[in-house]
Amino acid sequence: ASGAALTGVRASTSTSGPGFSLMVEGLGWAGMNEVPVVITYYQRGGPSTGLPTRHAQDDLRFAIHAGHGEFARIVLASGDIAECFYDAALAFNYAERFQMPVIHLLDKAIANSSNTYPTFDTSGIKIERGTILDSTGLQKLLQEKGEYNRFQRTESGISPRVPLGTPGAVFWNTGDERNEKGHIDENPTNRVQMMEKRMAKLAIVDKEIPASEKLNYFGEKGEAATVVSWGSPKGAILEAKERLQSEGIGINFLQVRVLHPFPAAEFSALVNKLKKIIDVEMNYSGQLAGIVREKTGIVIDDFVVKYNGRPMTSDEVYTALRHTIRGEAERRQVLTHGA
């Protein structure tokens, strides 16, 4: 997939946890070479073979941190099949605009579900290829700069990219640290410059991706509690929210979609730290809640988690949220529905 992306086409691959584990070195290579490749990652129960045909959300931190060393990547999570369709276009746009791997993080509940939808509206989908040059664009750059450097440091933080085989462009790709042209270079000054070039793109991503693509917010800010979640629990949470509202219990739901780089400013602006915040996830440790605390300082004390390999149901989410809001539940509730 990385090789295909280097030729200038939009390239992706798909995998679940074990396959992703085996190819983490390749992910690091893509990060070093600023390759715009998309990885569609369907989570299943682990560790090891775990629950190979069952559902989980255990791999959030793994997707964010996988690989030795540090390199930039984007992690985008969809909450339903409609979002998957539109997020696939976003993932390719992000990969090419910011020249880095994008992990489209899904789970088995979405990957193996069948839903009927109206025909998706493609009129609003834009293809954004970023600073990719054809032969004409390259010749203009050569006239201005005198040479082509694939990893040139620029004011925007993004280097002009050309497909392999473009006449007049010569560059190198290597897993070793390299200089602007792509040659292996272990000079300490160069190392600092190249590390800062790659990692600074995370701040560019955070600045340029609009809040509407990072988060979905359902409800009014004045409600008594805010539910925080990501991925496929979305449907069960929204149904539970409707049932609670019919009983006069109002809640907000904040769905995080761009999980890395984490949208700390936008998240903090939507969450009232003085009111109850409830984390709903399909893993043992409440991984999103930990990331929220790390990036914002906001401590989430109430958890609704599930890790038996079955998706969350609206009934059990409704009951758990109702008990939590009424102060009738333990701080950590473990859901167990499903045969």
Side-chain angles (χ1 to χ4, degrees), residues 33-105:
N33 288 281
E34 303 177 46
V35 179
V37 63
V38 174
I39 301 99
T40 305
Y41 185 165
Y42 304 94
Q43 300 167 93
R44 70 191 210 197
S48 190
T49 308
L51 300 174
T53 63
R54 297 294 180 177
H55 165 67
Q57 287 185 296
D58 298 358
D59 297 354
L60 173 56
R61 283 194 174 275
F62 182 42
I64 291 172
H65 298 295
H68 60 285
E70 296 175 289
F71 57 93
R73 90 282 306 267
I74 296 170
V75 179
L76 171 67
S78 302
D80 54 44
I81 290 176
E83 281 184 4
C84 288
F85 178 82
Y86 296 106
D87 286 351
L90 285 179
F92 279 116
N93 285 347
Y94 295 164
E96 293 202 300
R97 280 175 57 192
F98 305 114
Q99 296 183 19
M100 65 176 70
V102 174
I103 299 169
H104 189 186
L105 192 60

Side-chain angles (χ1 to χ4, degrees), residues 217-227 237-254 275-278 318 321-322 324-326:
Y217 190 79
F218 304 89
E220 303 295 332
K221 287 188 177 182
E223 304 293 10
T226 298
V227 174
I237 294 169
L238 289 175
E239 288 188 22
K241 181 180 184 300
E242 287 185 10
R243 291 179 64 181
L244 290 167
Q245 280 185 314
S246 69
E247 299 174 6
I249 303 173
I251 64 169
N252 305 311
F253 171 35
L254 181 54
K275 294 188 177 181
K276 189 177 289 294
I277 307 171
I278 308 167
Y318 157 78
L321 294 178
R322 190 169 182 268
T324 298
I325 293 168
R326 290 187 170 188

